[in-house]
Amino acid sequence: MIDDISNIVVLTGAGVSAESGLATFRGPDGLWEGHRVEDVCTPEAFRRDPALVHAFYDARREKLKAVEANAAHRALARLDAEWPGKLLIVTQNVDDLHERAGAKRILHMHGELKSAWCLGCDARMKWEEDLGSGPPCPACGACGRLRPDIVWFGEMPYEMERIDRALTGADLFVSIGTSGAVYPAAGFVQTARYAGARTLELNLEPSLGSYHFHETRTGRAGEVVPAWVGEMLGAA
Ligand code: OAD
């Protein structure tokens, strides 16, 4: 099977960063860091209570300073560096741990904690500091118009056309550490499979859409991802 593979699309979710110490979204209590998702991850929530939403994302951005990439991020970065064919790592994660591990062929479909978006002038820019204090936009100077550059529920994920092209051209689609609860990402396996790709799921437990995959391997990302990457590169 590996001999026939040139184009790979990898989809990652919160499970990839769990062993770094970042909370997944759908824990047993159904809360994300103590909040209902609809209270912090929607445009309505931001309009209703911008201070709460800023405080929430400021805390997530601050937390990034205390964590490091793990073995799963490093294995994917190795795949990126050494895979001779096409590769696109599409992540739903808003952290920067794939990049910190060294991955280059990466697309953040749900935005990034370290990016801000000005609702005044529409500019997007790298951002490391808090947004809750209402800092001026470096592009237009307007105060209090910057929001986290994160795709919230009800908003369109980034670069869907590019993702779709990659999925329909993929020989192998691999989904790692995602519950398969949020569309459109949850539907990527079907797009890739109907276009002819092999499909593999690597997750702690079978996901909601596990039955769509040709193969599911269960285990911690820090173990199953390096093992899979080793297989791929061993055969490359
Ligand atoms: P979830 O929290 O829904 O799912 C995380 C998945 O990772 C679950 O299936 C866990 O079983 C698995 N998991 C946990 N620890 C793991 C480990 N150590 N190794 C491997 N797998 C592990 O997170 P996502 O699927 O990423 O969207 O959530 C998708 C989207 O929903 C997020 O991007 C976010 C959220 O609402 C937005 O913010 C727009």
Side-chain angles (χ1 to χ4, degrees):
M1 166 197 153
I2 291 178
D3 289 344
D4 298 337
I5 292 170
S6 170
N7 296 358
I8 304 176
V9 177
V10 173
L11 171 70
T12 67
V16 163
S17 296
E19 287 156 63
S20 293
L22 295 178
T24 58
F25 291 86
R26 293 170 184 80
D29 55 5
L31 297 177
W32 186 28
E33 296 279 351
H35 292 272
R36 294 188 314 156
V37 164
E38 54 270 36
D39 288 341
V40 287
C41 299
T42 64
E44 293 76 25
F46 187 60
R47 275 197 293 275
R48 193 170 54 237
D49 193 348
L52 172 74
V53 174
H54 275 313
F56 178 76
Y57 285 101
D58 285 348
R60 304 279 76 73
R61 201 179 302 102
E62 186 64 25
K63 171 91 183 179
L64 277 190
K65 295 179 185 159
V67 301
E68 290 178 1
N70 65 49
H73 299 109
R74 288 193 293 274
L76 289 172
R78 180 179 165 224
L79 183 70
D80 185 0
E82 298 180 23
W83 182 251
K86 278 195 185 172
L87 170 75
L88 182 64
I89 302 169
V90 180
T91 187
Q92 298 168 89
N93 298 342
V94 295
D95 64 57
D96 62 345
L97 295 180
H98 282 303
E99 286 90 339
R100 277 202 250 163
K104 301 272 189 296
R105 292 183 270 183
I106 175 106
L107 187 164
H108 282 269
M109 66 176 289
H110 288 166
E112 297 175 65
L113 277 169
K114 288 191 175 175
S115 178
W117 173 20
C118 179
L119 296 174
C121 71
D122 206 32
R124 287 179 163 82
M125 59 218 86
K126 292 207 171 302
W127 201 268
E128 301 270 347
E129 307 307 322
D130 286 356
L131 286 169
S133 57
C137 169
C140 72
C143 286
R145 303 302 310 276
L146 294 172
R147 63 163 265 188
D149 188 9
I150 302 246
V151 176
W152 286 325
F153 283 94
E155 298 181 325
M156 185 64 86
Y158 293 146
E159 300 205 58
M160 284 306 299
E161 283 180 19
R162 184 174 157 213
I163 295 171
D164 202 58
R165 276 197 304 277
L167 290 170
T168 52
D171 305 311
L172 175 66
F173 172 75
V174 186
S175 172
I176 307 174
T178 175
S179 62
V182 174
Y183 281 82
F188 288 176
V189 56
Q190 293 170 77
T191 305
R193 187 166 178 165
Y194 293 150
R198 291 285 307 175
T199 54
L200 168 66
E201 173 174 72
L202 307 176
N203 207 45
L204 200 55
E205 63 209 353
S207 72
L208 291 172
S210 204
Y211 59 92
H212 290 302
F213 290 83
H214 290 103
E215 186 187 352
T216 292
R217 299 182 193 174
T218 53
R220 290 155 58 90
E223 288 158 15
V224 292
V225 178
W228 169 70
V229 168
E231 275 173 40
M232 295 306 297
L233 293 178

